[in-house]
DNA sequence: AAATCGGTCAACCGCGACTTT
DNA sequence: GAAAGTCGCGGTTGACCGATT
């Protein structure tokens, strides 16, 4: 196929229909041949990309859920920019979609850049507000919660991608109030020093400054938020 | 109303890996 | 084993659109 005859740019609906009908008939292979047979003035690569990223059945096209965002965050930490591998863990999502989402949404968050636990707390809290709080960040090797290379799981041990979240939502519960207060404090620059001062002034010393500095173990402090005793 | 800016995302490109001949 | 063809991946580009000036 001569290069100058190849179309580029946005796909037309007729091209999509043409491509779909031929992929269904011939299978997802030999894209150059398929493009020729289908009479598409597109490169095989372009056809493959269009099919994989847009036309393929069972693709999700809506916004990412909190669970998906959590998973992307964790997997990116573990695997780096291995978008194809990450995509395999998110059924219905493409590597391109995840890559774009990371670049436009997750990457620029300072919490993500620092790789600290505050971000995990942030999304967990959002998840709490939306659906459920029964989630911990657990390092399977040590059993500790909230460490960098940890697996995400619920307290009953199920993984996050199989998480079946309940529909109920707490409103104005003590737990919700407490964690939201804490988030406001964080947003207002309520820093580690102030937490330490609180500790000394109130005698409530759940906070361990060393652990907070190390980041990972700070989840132990965060979990104290749930202790209503 | 027009111009500019910034964010988003579909699509392209280059390259390495893999498969077929 | 070598060459050609094909596929898959990650980085980048550019068109589009809404917000702002």
């Amino acid at each position: 196929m001569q290069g100058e005859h190849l179309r580029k740019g946005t796909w037309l609906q007729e091209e999509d229909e043409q491509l779909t009908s031929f992929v269904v008939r011939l299978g997802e292979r030999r894209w150059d041949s398929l493009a020729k047979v289908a009479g598409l003035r597109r490169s095989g690569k372009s056809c493959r990309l269009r099919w994989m990223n847009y036309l393929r059945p069972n693709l999700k096209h809506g916004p990412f859920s909190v669970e998906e965002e959590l998973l992307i965050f964790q997997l990116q930490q573990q695997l780096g920019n291995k978008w194809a591998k990450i995509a395999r863990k998110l059924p219905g999502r493409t590597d391109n979609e995840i890559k774009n989402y990371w670049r436009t949404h997750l990457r620029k968050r300072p919490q993500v850049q620092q790789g600290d636990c505050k971000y995990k707390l942030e999304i967990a809290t959002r998840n709490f507000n939306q659906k459920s709080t029964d989630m911990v960040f657990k390092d399977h090797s040590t059993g500790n919660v909230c460490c960098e290379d940890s697996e995400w799981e619920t307290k009953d041990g199920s993984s996050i991608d199989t998480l079946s979240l309940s529909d109920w939502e707490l409103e104005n519960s003590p737990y919700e109030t407490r964690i939201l207060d804490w988030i406001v404090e964080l947003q207002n620059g309520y820093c580690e020093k102030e937490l330490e001062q609180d500790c000394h002034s109130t005698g409530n010393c759940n906070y361990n400054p060393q652990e907070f500095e190390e980041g990972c173990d700070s989840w132990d402090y965060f979990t104290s938020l749930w202790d209503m005793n």
Side-chain angles (χ1 to χ4, degrees):
Chain A
M1 199 177 287
Q2 296 296 309
E4 62 264 35
H5 294 136
L6 293 179
R7 260 179 56 75
K8 289 184 181 180
T10 310
W11 280 66
L12 305 172
Q13 189 180 343
E14 304 92 83
E15 291 178 305
D16 281 346
E17 290 168 0
Q18 190 89 345
L19 177 60
T20 302
S21 73
F22 275 84
V23 173
V24 168
R25 272 188 260 173
L26 303 176
E28 297 177 17
R29 51 194 287 276
R30 306 297 299 265
W31 292 101
D32 277 326
S33 308
L34 192 146
K36 284 180 190 172
V37 172
L40 289 162
R41 288 163 53 203
R42 296 276 184 174
S43 70
K45 280 182 102 170
S46 181
C47 291
R48 178 189 165 273
L49 200 70
R50 182 65 179 170
W51 173 258
M52 297 303 240
N53 287 343
Y54 197 82
L55 300 174
R56 197 158 41 110
N58 302 322
L59 285 179
K60 296 181 194 171
H61 291 293
F64 282 80
S65 67
V66 174
E67 291 80 19
E68 287 173 319
E69 190 177 329
L70 276 169
L71 203 50
I72 293 168
F73 170 76
Q74 185 214 3
L75 290 170
Q76 204 281 336
Q77 294 270 85
Q78 287 182 348
L79 304 172
N81 297 351
K82 301 295 179 187
W83 306 116
K85 283 185 181 176
I86 293 172
R88 289 185 202 114
K89 304 282 185 185
L90 287 109
R93 300 295 186 183
T94 69
D95 54 350
N96 208 33
E97 198 177 11
I98 293 167
K99 177 173 60 181
N100 283 332
Y101 188 74
W102 172 261
R103 294 178 72 85
T104 57
H105 292 92
L106 300 180
R107 186 181 62 166
K108 59 191 170 189
R109 296 183 192 219
Q111 299 96 321
V112 171
Q113 288 165 2
Q114 292 161 13
D116 70 16
C117 287
K118 289 178 187 174
Y119 178 63
K120 292 178 182 179
L121 180 72
E122 179 192 322
I123 3 193
T125 305
R126 281 164 50 197
N127 188 62
F128 169 86
N129 287 329
Q130 287 178 16
K131 291 167 183 171
S132 168
T133 62
D134 199 19
M135 181 186 292
V136 296
F137 313 115
K138 186 176 178 183
D139 182 339
H140 289 302
S141 58
T142 64
N144 293 333
V145 291
C146 196
C147 287
E148 285 224 352
D149 295 324
S150 60
E151 291 289 334
W152 299 76
E153 67 171 30
T154 57
K155 286 176 181 172
D156 66 4
S158 60
S159 66
I160 188 163
D161 51 345
T162 59
L163 192 61
S164 177
L165 296 165
S166 59
D167 291 325
W168 58 265
E169 178 176 348
L170 290 172
E171 289 190 8
N172 301 323
S173 71
Y175 297 93
E176 184 178 10
T177 304
R178 198 157 179 170
I179 198 161
L180 288 175
D181 286 346
W182 187 80
I183 289 165
V184 169
E185 287 164 1
L186 263 185
Q187 287 170 341
N188 291 338
Y190 195 88
C191 66
E192 295 88 317
K193 206 174 210 176
E194 286 161 320
L195 286 167
E196 192 175 13
Q197 283 169 357
D198 272 6
C199 164
H200 293 311
S201 61
T202 64
N204 178 9
C205 292
N206 287 327
Y207 160 64
N208 178 335
Q210 195 175 357
E211 286 179 351
F212 202 97
E213 279 170 18
E214 288 167 4
C216 283
D217 295 334
S218 55
W219 185 256
D220 289 336
Y221 170 70
F222 300 150
T223 55
S224 72
L225 291 163
W226 306 105
D227 182 6
M228 301 303 289
N229 296 324

